[in-house]
Amino acid sequence: MTEWEAVIGLETHVELQTKSKMFCGCPVDFGDEPNTAVCPVCLAMPGALPVPNEQAIEGILSIGDALDCTLTERSLFYRKNYFYPDLPKNYQISQYTFPLCVDGRLDVDVDGEPTTVGITRVHMEEDTGKSTHLGESGRIHGAENTLLDFNRAGVPLVEVVSEPDIRSPEQARAYGVELQRIVRVLGVSDARLEEGSMRFDANISVRPVGTTELGTRTEVKNVNSLRSLQRTIAYEIERQIEILEAGGSIHQETRHWDEAKGVTRSGRTKEESEDYRYFQDPDLLPLSIDDAWRARVAARRPELPAGKRDRYAGLGADRRTAELLVDAGDLAGLFEDAVAEGADPRNVGIWLTGEVVRYLRSESVDVAETGLTAASLVELAAMVGDADLSATAAKDVLAAVLAGEGEPRDVAEARDLLQISDASAIEAEVAAVLDQHPEALEKIRSGDAKPIGFLVGQVMRATGGRADPRMVQDLIRRTASG
Amino acid sequence: MPVEIDIARVAHLARIALTDEELAAYAAQLENILEHAERVQALPTEGVEPTSHPLPVVNAFRPDEVTGSLDRDDALAGAPEVENGYFRVPRILDES
Amino acid sequence: MTDLADLTIAQATAGLRSGEFTAIDLLDAVERRAAVTEAHLHAYLTLDREGARSAALAADEAITSGDRRPLLGIPIAVKDNMVTKGVETTAGSQILAGWKPPYSGTAVLRLEEAGAVIVGKTNLDEFAMGSSTENSAYGPTRNPWNTDTVPGGSSGGSAAVVAVGSALGAFGSDTGGSIRQPASLTGTVGAKPTYGLVSRYGLIAFASSLDQIGPIARTVPDAAMLLEAVTGWDPLDATSYHGDVPAISRSLDTGVAGIRVGVVSELTGEGIDPEVLAATTAAVGRLADAGAEIVELSLPAIEYALSAYYLIAPAECSANLARFDGVRYGLRVDGSTTEEMMARTRAEGFGPEVTRRILLGTYALSAGYYDAFYGQAQRVRTLLRRDFAAAYERVDVLVSPTSPTTAFEIGSKTTDPLTMYLADICTIATNLAGDPAISVPVGLDAGGLPIGFQIMAPALGEEVMFQVAAEVERRAGFDTRPRLATSEVVAP
């Protein structure tokens, strides 16, 4: 029985949120009305010429820098020639040899298992227009006519190409999530998959474990959600393994993911017979990135997700907490401030990833709109640390603080949740319960530990849940052995 | 050295619908021209960089500013077919 | 009294400023000349009567208030591959028949800003591909010196109108000689500037790394003035030159004492018509008389320039013309699918020469052939630039005939494309190098057809180029006009 290994490479397209398009001054942020953000350049009228957007170049360099790439000294724009009605010039200005960024890496983590995915290149290109189809089904096949809107034509597009270092659907998803985070923290794109400002093409093949030759790959294009990315890769791996194990071979082709049916389908092989006739675009000058420019790019690099994760871990956050905080800047702020004031990072982490997130989601609010502050967390942590509150009680108090009922100590007092940890009070309660259940005490003395839990429960009931359960348990044991 | 051209494929790549007769005529002309143009192969060019720009300049950019678009009416004015603000074309045979 | 249509721009400007006549008078004279000559020449595709009239009226107002812009009120023509807002622009092709652009190109805007009166759009070889204007989808233009002959191409229309006085100056475009060669064949002055000196925004692209807009005029000083009006960096053209524009007309009267002139041996031997050669030699002799130092030079890579050009230009044009697909503007021929519609539109919309070059270019770029053809041609280009650079170490300018022949008969070179391509051998090298060049008329052949003399200069060397050109013009004594350029000719 062969053991198979999946070999996956991802090509990710990211639309940059510059103010104007890549090669002309039309706005990138356009409304719904078709063909209202177009000009002679992006409509490819006769005589029009492209001029590159400086901010878009800065944006792609930031992405390359964040992915640890080399920003190449000399880079060229190329024409990728093919005919399609949503491509006004019938060539796309892109890059071929000499892309702007090469040889980078992205570290991803799947449930504590790290992998480094190589980044082959990051290059600059322009987006196409959009086509919609008239016809009964609304689908492109069978449509009588096609309608074209060129508002999106010419929007700056960055393509990130990974090495085929990804080995599982989960890794692919983790890669996608991390890349999305990076692009967002750089502020160059909102990278919203559902809106199309970030899209994935996946190249998938399988091979027997232990071999180094690459199997025939298929490509699934324009995957527009992380969930689909994971599912389509999983499906495709299975499909290929099935075929190979049955003695068949994989046909190199482009396939399409059918979200509803959960399968990939064979697309037309038109792509493979296309000859793009790449040549350097004579309307554009070469790009030259010198050391001073590289230094400027590095200097503006913000704290990236990996750096944040390391920093939160250094502050005592566990992996799950760090992961949450990377995406939630406001919660991260609370965490950092609370820990700086001495709060126990473990507890704060548990609360943030649990109760707080739950509350924010169910109430559809931001933490700034709640009653929770770093000070509240510090106070709550101190109360737990001093055993003034049990873990359970702390959750209730936290919920109340979020709801704006007040600060933790006030809430705890008002709700009578303060843990009883006064030794004499607990002794009295324990003594009372032991009096009521002498047989239990006998059992414990004879070596049976089971009744301890029952007795602790009894004391908790009697104290309305406020006794410190550890103290109670301790006391019972001591009484039993003493 | 005679050059053989797959003229039908070239015409398809260029999206020009030609009759068989026209294809044959163009193929012959092209082969003729290329035999002449092939002379460039005679020049030794090892180690010679190609020129794609006469002026040795780099980095021509524009600032990221919205400088205005065409009025939609002007944008669509020359279009063969429009519908509700869209350019209209016949159905697309292939989907990429 | 001289017919105003026969004035030079310099003379017309003087007359306008002194109040001797108005811009409307000038426009009237030019339009009268056009009315008479157009039936013989077919040089104009569109006459923008309304636009010209309001520009002339505005010019007259400005002149009265003391406005001294150099082209104010001067009627000029513009080649129909230069986009003009609201005025039909066809590039000489059926595929753009009736297309009225929603914008104007930068050179056109600068001319309007300079106060020029744009009379109309002139005929050209389709998409500027040709050397005779016979490839126009709207019929050929005829040479005013002998209407059975071609005016040259691709800017044949612009050259013809200047030769005959139906405009006082004109603009054309030059990719392999398309301004200079028609100027040579029509006895006018035509200049191609350094690549990047004039914005290409609004010039319907043929070969992007070779195309340049330039002036055609009756005199060298006129040509300099026209060129100055359109030079300068344009933010809308990434390939436009960002530095200081050369002082184009500063040395027109300086003379050539001490100037080193290189005669290109490859262009003054075999393949050049004997009368053209004789006229070239005579012009060189006159420069020597004027104090120039004459050197004979070889540029070995020039042997390969034509071949390199016929790989590079078609390759670039095959991509530049891909946008003509019946989707957003221009001709559409119906099809049941978009792909069919595109292929039929392009088949019907493009003429044979354009189709030929698109196919050639597509092939030269296609998988497996790129390096052998296009890539190699770009390397040959580098070798050519090295030859020029070496030459300019020894001389200030290079000279040659502009065209190997004088005007040839319409239809005489259209059977074999290669024959037509050879018309470009003298002019092509400077396009590949990106350097400026100018053609100055120096005489007539036995058949009464004009001969042009070409002066080439290093990149941004317009000043010395015009300096030498002015001297060549002074000493050539070429003051003949074609028979059609007189008010005596009657309209048919």
Side-chain angles (χ1 to χ4, degrees), chain C residues 125-451:
Chain C
D125 283 298
E126 189 180 358
F127 285 106
M129 299 183 201
S131 311
S132 66
T133 311
E134 290 172 286
N135 292 330
S136 169
Y138 300 99
T141 293
R142 292 163 183 279
N143 192 322
W145 293 85
N146 175 340
T147 52
D148 290 330
T149 66
V150 301
S154 57
S155 313
S158 282
V161 303
V162 171
V164 98
S166 52
L168 262 52
F171 279 85
S173 71
D174 191 310
T175 303
S178 291
I179 286 174
R180 294 163 282 158
Q181 185 254 25
S184 173
L185 267 54
T186 57
T188 53
V189 175
K192 182 198 89 69
T194 304
Y195 182 86
L197 215 52
V198 180
S199 169
R200 288 184 303 113
Y201 186 80
L203 174 65
I204 299 179
F206 161 16
S208 317
S209 73
L210 305 169
D211 294 343
Q212 273 294 281
I213 288 171
I216 298 177
R218 284 186 43 217
T219 68
V220 170
D222 278 4
M225 203 181 333
L226 286 174
L227 184 56
E228 278 171 335
V230 295
T231 45
W233 178 63
D234 182 13
L236 294 176
D237 176 357
T239 60
S240 106
Y241 179 62
H242 221 305
D244 293 327
V245 174
I248 293 167
S249 57
R250 183 164 60 188
S251 304
L252 286 171
D253 296 324
T254 306
V256 298
I259 298 286
R260 301 165 300 164
V261 175
V263 179
V264 182
S265 54
E266 284 84 4
L267 300 179
T268 44
E270 204 188 291
I272 308 296
D273 186 276
E275 282 183 276
V276 171
L277 207 46
T280 305
T281 308
V284 172
R286 291 191 291 269
L287 280 174
D289 293 340
E293 189 194 313
I294 313 296
V295 177
E296 179 140 330
L297 281 174
S298 168
L299 271 66
I302 276 193
E303 296 286 347
Y304 303 91
L306 202 64
S307 305
Y309 175 85
Y310 279 100
L311 290 170
I312 293 170
E316 292 183 7
C317 98
S318 69
N320 284 331
L321 269 63
R323 64 191 59 196
F324 300 101
D325 59 6
V327 174
R328 290 146 284 115
Y329 46 78
L331 177 73
R332 176 184 292 191
V333 175
D334 281 314
S336 53
T337 63
T338 292
E339 183 151 318
E340 203 175 76
M341 180 273 283
M342 287 183 173
R344 286 184 183 172
T345 297
R346 291 161 65 77
E348 200 172 300
F350 290 142
E353 184 60 39
V354 169
T355 302
R356 192 161 26 246
R357 295 196 196 196
I358 290 175
L359 293 174
L360 181 52
T362 303
Y363 179 74
L365 289 173
S366 62
Y369 299 107
Y370 176 97
D371 215 63
F373 291 123
Y374 185 73
Q376 181 68 355
Q378 295 285 51
R379 288 188 281 270
V380 165
R381 197 170 174 179
T382 302
L383 291 177
L384 189 58
R385 297 184 66 216
R386 284 185 190 173
D387 280 358
F388 270 107
Y392 288 124
E393 300 265 302
R394 296 172 54 196
V395 298
D396 301 302
V397 298
L398 291 166
V399 297
S400 76
T402 306
S403 166
T405 66
T406 56
F408 44 89
E409 267 189 42
I410 289 179
S412 63
K413 289 190 201 255
T414 48
T415 41
D416 175 12
L418 263 177
T419 320
M420 187 68 82
Y421 297 165
L422 289 168
D424 296 331
I425 49 170
C426 299
T427 47
I428 260 175
T430 43
N431 297 88
L432 290 168
D435 293 342
I438 188 171
S439 178
V440 181
V442 290
L444 297 174
D445 72 0
L449 295 171
I451 298 168

Side-chain angles (χ1 to χ4, degrees), chain A residues 43-44 46-47 79 88 90 275 283, chain C residues 103 200 202 320 322 325 328-329 367:
Chain A
L43 280 180
R79 293 186 184 179
N90 288 310
D275 176 353
D283 287 330
Chain C
Y103 80 106
R200 288 184 303 113
N320 284 331
D325 59 6
R328 290 146 284 115
Y329 46 78

